[in-house]
Amino acid sequence: MHWDLSATVFLEFWKRRRAVLTYDWDLIDWEDEEEELRPQFEAKYSQVERVNPITGKPEPFQPFPDKLSRLMVSVSGIFFMISLVLTAVFAVVVYRLVAMEQFASFQWYFIKKYWQFATSGTGVCINFMIIMSLNVVYEKVAYLLTDLDLLDVLESTTNFLTDGDWKRLLQNWWSRRKIKKGGQLLEHKISLPQWEKDWNLQPMNLHGLMDEYLEMVLQFGFTTIFVAAFPLAPLLALLNNIIEIRLDAYKFVTQWRRPMPARATDIGIWYGILEGIGVLAVITNAFVIAITSDYIPRFVYAYKYGPCVDQGYRQENYTFNRCLKGYVNSSLSIFDLSELGMGYSGYCRYRDYRAPPWSSSPYEFTLQFWHVLAARLAFIIVFEHLVFGIKSFIAYLIPDMPKDLCDRMRREKYLVQEMMYEAELEHLQRERKKNGKQYHHEWP
């Protein structure tokens, strides 16, 4: 739960930092200008025009049926890629289950001894091949759906898997090598100006900071959504970011051309995505804790089925460990091996809440299973509401703008009003002097 709250604190303090940066760059009252039309869009829809209600000038217009059809094709492509990813994930899970059994009974002693390593290693190799195959499939889909804006999301999602920074390093090295080799052929070496050296660098990608934002958002999602499964994820993310900052600085300064500056008051839709991830993290962690944790089944057993049920819960006769006596036996069900039809006899125990084979309804869920399931669902609901309540309270306590910044903005507003007052007062005095009247620091 503390990581979900930490995500809220992080986002709230980012809003404060954003307010400071917006003020320092004098963008408090700045509004984003209307986006310029792409030349491809303008050429395609130049025959259909409509008058812009703001500018009053005709501009290319895309009819709604055309926009709807392109949107449906784009969404279909996105869901197709998502279905491929989910299918691949499910296939890998099935493979690991099958391979685990096969490697554990393999004829080679080495593989049989290290069956877990063999299963994980082959699973990683299959994951890598699937990722590369999906990249190829995505390129084919993107080619068929050229010029559809929503595909930019898919492209950014897959670009982080095949980051081309190493290609830029090689290209820059090769460009410098050719320039240096060409300069040595001249009789007099000419020192190139800095702007020409910068021109020989690689241009920034078409999406600008899209990939950088996407990388950080994905990392934020992994460290918040799956923190219950891997608590060291935030620490590893911090170490990664410390190194990533220096690598990005080196990349922007030495490998890329200077990008064109663009004004912005915030990070745009990415902040909404971060907030959505924070909400999803609460729900995911609630389910992970409720389903994977053994505390809820223990709690249900102690209060409903344990030896302390009929003894009351007074402090002098109640200890949680003593009330868990027999818990392991109650959490294991019985299976009749003769039902396998392979010549086995006897019984084996497995973890579940099912009726024994000699009961009237063999292998059906017992009442204890439904009690545990109800307790888990209740825990999810209580946990989510509690965390959401605390998150809202923290967001309320932390103001979006620091107090000193609010004071400075109020001070500036006051000074502007005073300057306007003095200017108006001076203007009135000049007017009254022309008319032979005096005016002394008061409104007429």
Side-chain angles (χ1 to χ4, degrees):
M1 183 176 71
H2 63 284
W3 285 114
D4 298 326
L5 301 180
S6 300
T8 301
V9 174
F10 169 77
L11 293 178
E12 291 300 320
F13 275 94
W14 161 246
K15 285 197 292 187
R16 294 167 61 89
R17 177 62 177 166
R18 179 188 63 186
V20 173
L21 293 175
T22 304
Y23 174 81
D24 291 340
W25 288 93
D26 195 20
L27 295 173
I28 293 293
D29 298 324
W30 180 79
E31 295 183 1
D32 194 5
E33 299 177 357
E34 185 177 358
E35 185 178 0
E36 296 183 0
L37 297 178
R38 292 184 294 111
Q40 297 87 343
F41 177 87
E42 189 172 4
K44 186 172 183 178
Y45 296 102
S46 59
Q47 303 298 329
V48 182
E49 293 184 346
R50 72 170 182 179
V51 178
N52 190 312
I54 299 177
T55 62
K57 299 179 180 179
E59 64 179 11
F61 172 69
Q62 182 181 15
F64 178 76
D66 186 26
K67 184 184 300 184
L68 181 61
S69 62
R70 294 170 65 84
L71 179 63
M72 294 301 296
V73 174
S74 300
V75 173
S76 301
I78 291 177
F79 277 104
F80 172 72
M81 294 299 299
I82 293 176
S83 63
L84 283 182
V85 172
L86 295 178
T87 304
V89 171
F90 179 76
V92 172
V93 172
V94 173
Y95 165 79
R96 290 175 67 92
L97 293 176
V98 175
M100 187 183 304
E101 180 182 356
Q102 295 296 325
F103 286 140
S105 59
F106 208 72
Q107 295 181 356
W108 292 356
Y109 174 76
F110 180 80
I111 295 180
K112 185 176 181 179
K113 181 179 180 180
Y114 300 100
W115 61 271
Q116 293 180 340
F117 178 78
T119 303
S120 300
T122 53
V124 169
C125 295
I126 292 176
N127 276 330
F128 175 76
M129 291 187 292
I130 289 175
I131 289 173
M132 300 306 295
S133 301
L134 288 178
N135 286 335
V136 176
V137 173
Y138 161 70
E139 291 176 359
K140 299 299 182 182
V141 174
Y143 177 76
L144 294 174
L145 303 177
T146 304
D147 203 26
L148 296 179
D149 296 336
L150 287 180
L151 283 176
D152 293 344
V153 178
L154 279 176
E155 182 177 359
S156 301
T157 305
T158 55
N159 276 345
F160 83 97
L161 297 174
T162 57
D163 193 1
D165 290 342
W166 62 275
K167 297 180 183 178
R168 297 179 183 275
L169 289 173
L170 293 177
Q171 291 171 350
N172 289 332
W173 173 81
W174 184 253
S175 299
R176 288 193 295 266
R177 182 178 179 276
K178 290 194 299 183
I179 294 172
K180 184 178 180 181
K181 185 176 181 180
Q184 291 176 352
L185 297 177
L186 299 176
E187 295 181 357
H188 302 285
K189 295 182 179 180
I190 302 176
S191 178
L192 296 178
Q194 186 63 41
W195 64 267
E196 191 167 348
K197 294 179 181 179
D198 293 342
W199 174 254
N200 293 321
L201 298 177
Q202 297 301 312
M204 196 172 183
N205 56 45
L206 297 177
H207 300 288
L209 296 177
M210 181 85 173
D211 295 336
E212 305 297 331
Y213 278 125
L214 183 62
E215 182 181 357
M216 292 295 101
V217 168
L218 289 174
Q219 186 187 94
F220 181 80
F222 282 127
T223 55
T224 54
I225 295 177
F226 304 110
V227 66
F230 186 57
L232 286 179
L235 176 60
L236 297 179
L238 176 61
L239 297 177
N240 173 79
N241 289 341
I242 294 175
I243 300 174
E244 185 77 13
I245 289 175
R246 306 316 308 164
L247 291 178
D248 285 345
Y250 174 79
K251 178 175 61 179
F252 277 96
V253 174
T254 64
Q255 303 302 316
W256 282 358
R257 298 175 190 170
R258 181 181 297 177
M260 293 296 294
R263 292 181 295 179
T265 58
D266 51 24
I267 60 176
I269 196 175
W270 294 105
Y271 183 80
I273 295 175
L274 292 176
E275 285 189 329
I277 291 176
V279 174
L280 182 62
V282 175
I283 300 175
T284 304
N285 288 325
F287 275 92
V288 169
I289 295 174
I291 295 175
T292 63
S293 175
D294 202 35
Y295 177 77
I296 296 177
R298 289 171 177 265
F299 187 81
V300 172
Y301 177 82
Y303 278 84
K304 187 67 178 178
Y305 299 96
C308 300
V309 174
D310 299 329
Q311 300 179 10
Y313 299 102
R314 295 189 300 273
Q315 186 66 29
E316 60 272 11
N317 62 1
Y318 174 75
T319 59
F320 193 73
N321 291 332
R322 185 169 64 86
C323 294
L324 286 176
K325 185 178 180 179
Y327 165 73
V328 176
N329 185 63
S330 69
S331 63
L332 299 176
S333 299
I334 301 175
F335 179 75
D336 188 0
L337 295 177
S338 62
E339 297 185 12
L340 294 176
M342 301 175 63
Y344 296 107
S345 61
Y347 300 98
C348 71
R349 305 296 298 273
Y350 62 97
R351 188 170 183 177
D352 205 347
Y353 299 99
R354 292 182 180 271
W358 55 80
S359 66
S360 58
S361 55
Y363 306 118
E364 293 291 333
F365 288 119
T366 61
L367 185 61
Q368 186 175 357
F369 168 82
W370 299 109
H371 285 162
V372 172
L373 180 61
R376 283 174 172 166
L377 295 178
F379 171 82
I380 292 173
I381 295 174
V382 173
F383 181 87
E384 289 179 356
H385 285 74
L386 177 63
V387 175
F388 283 138
I390 297 177
K391 286 167 65 73
S392 302
F393 182 68
I394 292 176
Y396 173 77
L397 290 180
I398 302 177
D400 295 343
M401 193 175 295
K403 185 177 183 303
D404 59 338
L405 180 59
C406 292
D407 294 339
R408 279 187 288 171
M409 293 180 62
R410 293 194 188 101
R411 175 67 178 171
E412 289 184 0
K413 185 177 180 180
Y414 169 77
L415 292 178
V416 169
Q417 291 177 346
E418 285 293 315
M419 291 174 60
M420 294 176 60
Y421 170 76
E422 293 295 336
E424 184 67 20
L425 184 63
E426 184 179 354
H427 173 72
L428 291 176
Q429 287 180 345
R430 287 198 302 266
E431 292 293 329
R432 296 214 173 184
K433 282 182 180 180
K434 292 180 182 180
N435 299 329
K437 298 181 181 179
Q438 295 296 327
Y439 179 69
H440 301 286
H441 299 283
E442 62 180 37
W443 293 99

